[in-house]
Amino acid sequence: MTQNIKLYGAIISKSMRQFATYRTNIFAGIVSALFMLGARWALWVALFATGNAGDITLAETMTFFVVGDFVMVWMGTSFGDVIGEDNRSGDIALKITRPCSYHFQLLAERHSVAVIETLTKSVPIFIAAAVLIGILPPIGAGAFGLFVLAVLLGGAVYFLVDLIISYSVFWLTDYWYVRWYQRAILQLFGGTVLPLWFYPDWLRAIADVLPFRFVMFAPMEIYLGRLSGADVYATFVAALFWIFVLFCAERLIWRRVQYKLVVQGG
Amino acid sequence: MHSVRVFFRIVKFLFKAKIEYPAAYLGGIVSQWLANGITMLLIVLTVLNFGTLGGWLPMEVMFLHSVWLFTYAVGSSFAYNLSRLFRHMAVDGTMDEALTRPVPPFLYLVATTFNIGYVSHITLAVGALVFSMIQLGISWAAWQWLWFVVMIVCGGIITACMMLICEMPSLRTRSRSPVGVFFDSGRNFAQFPLVIYPRVLQIIFTTVLPFGFVGFYPSQVLLGKQDGLLPQVNMWLSPVVAVLIVGITALCWRILSRRYESAGT
């Protein structure tokens, strides 16, 4: 365990050093983040100017996206690209024989990118939004604690869903498009682009029975105080149920993958 | 004429190579349909919820978004792969290869990097355009259909040229272009009516980064709207902007390719 934590820290610090040498990437990340915030702000101001937002406020919506961005950079990419490339190049043979699990390596690599994206994307967006727009704080320390817990559960849901979808690369001749399926499903049922508050009833009902809302929407509802009391615990129970189901499915498919996997020599 | 024949011949071979793996090709097409279709659906749902966006009705926003997607697909078919290749050209010898072929180097590069995958974006955009036009009850005269074609061609040219101009510096830097972000981020603004942005941004997207001419301004001719900066003039300017930007792209290419230094690979 201690060795894994050390390894996790080493992977992250190494990738940060590597990234810091490419200053253009840092510049591009910050400029792109600020552009995105500007576009999003203008869009929602224009929409709220119609006066048809119901009980949702502009501040809540902007907070949803700005704080939600911190959550999404830790999840937003797809394992499909990494696993697909490992499978194509044969590197997977080396990685699964290393003295730490392949899944741990995947997670550490993703988090190393997430640390950088947090610094170059989420933090500049948050500072700009807090200064120029005004971001709502969590409704209380307790709610913030529950929000962090919801984010961890959402992270587990995303990790498992992503793995299950990404394993399809072992059966495909090409893999670049796997991430598009995953992105599409998450956007439609996760409420990451348009909060589920604004969905028509029939689509909201479908999204509510699927696990994707736990990734960002449910934690943000807790942060904003739109979900409280027994509803929060019901959300946690539902998230844990989905984690159990997805974990069983993931283990089952991973076992099949290990039989399916053929690495050519060379 | 010979160069054009060579261009189509190379593209034909690229297409043949791609459909050698029909399941993979179809998998890619369907994934893009889903991803872009869901983005479009969510945009329309958003505007439906609020009624209008900057005075544009949901179906007008859908029309604009479809034009934006269509022109992006047309432009990217020619420029996407090439723009991503600039940073590797000197190192992997692609540029040396292009310079030693008996066709103009730029044409050779555009042909060999042509991306046939954007057929998914185009089919989706056409479907959404037809749907929004039916919903809006649009019936056009012949000149308006002609303007529609001009709008798509000019929008495609502007998109391709902006992409190339923003990424071309990487031919020299041999890493990510320092101004590439202005294309990637800037183009996203154009999927909505420019009128929702502050005036300073409207000026930027009408002059320095002319993404307003990709869809917003020319669409107004067809939708009977007059929004944004000097709409009576700007709505007709797409062809002029397209010609100007082709000139700027040619100039950038000329300067950078003349200063090109091979890595010797």
Side-chain angles (χ1 to χ4, degrees), chain A residues 37 40-41 44 58-66 133 135:
Chain A
L37 176 68
R40 198 172 255 167
W41 168 243
W44 286 98
L58 178 60
E60 279 180 320
T61 307
M62 289 312 293
T63 304
F64 177 91
F65 287 117
V66 172
I133 298 170
I135 295 300

Side-chain angles (χ1 to χ4, degrees), chain B residues 8 21 23 28 34 54 60 75 88 101 127 132-133 155 160 169 176 228 246:
Chain B
F8 283 110
Y21 302 97
L34 261 183
E60 289 173 337
H88 307 294
R101 290 289 182 270
S132 60
M133 285 163 69
R176 193 170 176 170
V246 165

Side-chain angles (χ1 to χ4, degrees), chain A residues 187-231:
Chain A
Q187 282 193 348
L188 183 61
F189 299 117
T192 55
V193 172
L194 177 66
L196 299 181
W197 312 312
F198 298 116
Y199 275 36
D201 292 342
W202 63 271
L203 193 53
R204 176 73 200 258
I206 298 172
D208 279 345
V209 296
L210 293 171
F212 307 102
R213 71 190 164 98
F214 299 116
V215 174
M216 175 185 155
F217 181 74
M220 285 314 302
E221 279 216 304
I222 294 170
Y223 178 97
L224 292 167
R226 296 186 66 84
L227 208 62
S228 55
D231 290 342

Side-chain angles (χ1 to χ4, degrees), chain A residues 7-8 30 33-34 55 68 70 89 100 135 137 146 161 181 184 195 198 204 218 233 241 243 250-251 261 266:
Chain A
L7 187 63
Y8 180 83
I30 293 173
L34 295 177
D55 66 334
F70 273 98
S89 65
C100 69
I135 295 300
L146 292 173
V161 168
Y181 286 103
F198 298 116
R204 176 73 200 258
Y233 297 107
F241 165 76
I243 289 170
E250 188 273 331
R251 287 291 90 189
L261 183 61

Side-chain angles (χ1 to χ4, degrees), chain A residues 23-138:
Chain A
R23 293 194 186 137
T24 311
N25 289 354
I26 298 173
F27 168 77
I30 293 173
V31 172
S32 152
L34 295 177
F35 261 114
M36 202 171 78
L37 176 68
R40 198 172 255 167
W41 168 243
L43 173 67
W44 286 98
V45 165
L47 290 167
F48 274 85
T50 60
N52 299 331
D55 66 334
I56 314 289
T57 65
L58 178 60
E60 279 180 320
T61 307
M62 289 312 293
T63 304
F64 177 91
F65 287 117
V66 172
V67 178
D69 208 52
F70 273 98
V71 177
M72 287 312 293
V73 292
W74 289 80
M75 305 174 196
T77 51
S78 163
F79 286 135
D81 289 340
V82 184
I83 300 176
E85 183 52 29
D86 284 348
N87 185 35
R88 193 194 60 79
S89 65
D91 283 353
I92 196 164
L94 294 172
K95 289 188 175 179
I96 55 175
T97 52
R98 281 178 186 162
C100 69
S101 84
Y102 181 57
H103 298 85
F104 176 82
Q105 294 171 61
L106 285 175
L107 200 63
E109 273 177 34
R110 165 171 294 173
H111 286 181
S112 65
V113 176
V115 169
I116 292 153
E117 287 205 345
T118 302
L119 295 174
T120 60
K121 197 174 151 201
S122 306
V123 171
I125 284 187
F126 186 83
I127 293 171
V131 173
L132 302 172
I133 298 170
I135 295 300
L136 298 173

Side-chain angles (χ1 to χ4, degrees), chain B residues 22-258:
Chain B
Y25 184 60
L26 198 65
I29 300 276
V30 174
S31 75
Q32 300 281 331
W33 274 338
L34 261 183
N36 290 303
I38 285 171
T39 302
M40 196 180 286
L41 172 73
L42 291 176
I43 287 172
V44 174
L45 275 181
T46 307
V47 186
L48 271 172
N49 238 297
F50 288 85
T52 65
L53 175 64
W56 287 52
L57 298 170
M59 285 303 128
E60 289 173 337
V61 174
M62 189 178 186
F63 181 91
L64 176 62
H65 186 83
S66 309
V67 170
W68 173 81
L69 188 66
F70 200 156
T71 52
Y72 172 70
V74 171
S76 296
S77 299
F78 291 90
Y80 183 84
N81 285 351
L82 177 56
S83 69
R84 295 300 182 268
L85 190 67
F86 283 139
R87 70 190 77 162
H88 307 294
M89 271 182 177
V91 180
D92 68 10
T94 315
M95 185 68 174
D96 298 36
E97 183 188 310
L99 290 169
T100 52
R101 290 289 182 270
V103 282
F106 189 75
L107 183 108
Y108 177 79
L109 286 168
V110 171
T112 50
T113 58
F114 188 85
N115 189 330
I116 58 163
Y118 283 98
V119 68
S120 58
H121 294 60
I122 292 172
T123 45
L124 177 69
V126 169
L129 271 170
V130 170
F131 180 78
S132 60
M133 285 163 69
I134 291 169
Q135 294 295 312
L136 288 166
I138 286 175
S139 67
W140 289 335
W143 71 269
Q144 285 168 311
W145 281 107
L146 185 66
W147 179 253
F148 176 79
V149 175
V150 169
M151 173 176 76
I152 298 297
V153 172
C154 292
I157 290 172
I158 295 168
T159 304
C161 289
M162 283 300 294
M163 197 185 286
L164 292 172
I165 291 170
C166 288
E167 286 295 335
M168 231 180 258
S170 61
L171 188 60
R172 241 187 124 63
T173 61
R174 292 174 191 179
S175 65
R176 193 170 176 170
S177 164
V179 289
V181 67
F182 292 109
F183 175 81
D184 294 332
S185 304
R187 78 176 189 91
N188 286 326
F189 282 80
Q191 60 187 314
F192 301 113
L194 277 195
V195 74
I196 67 169
Y197 302 116
R199 202 169 173 78
V200 63
L201 283 180
Q202 290 186 43
I203 295 171
I204 289 173
F205 293 118
T206 309
T207 53
V208 192
L209 302 171
F211 291 110
F213 295 98
V214 165
F216 174 70
Y217 287 119
S219 289
Q220 297 194 43
V221 174
L222 302 170
L223 295 175
K225 298 184 79 74
Q226 293 208 344
D227 279 339
L229 303 172
L230 289 174
Q232 302 91 333
V233 181
N234 282 333
M235 65 167 68
W236 301 104
L237 280 188
S238 280
V240 179
V241 174
V243 170
L244 273 175
I245 207 161
V246 165
I248 295 169
T249 312
L251 191 67
C252 291
W253 173 253
R254 206 178 159 89
I255 292 168
L256 282 165
S257 58
R258 276 188 178 180

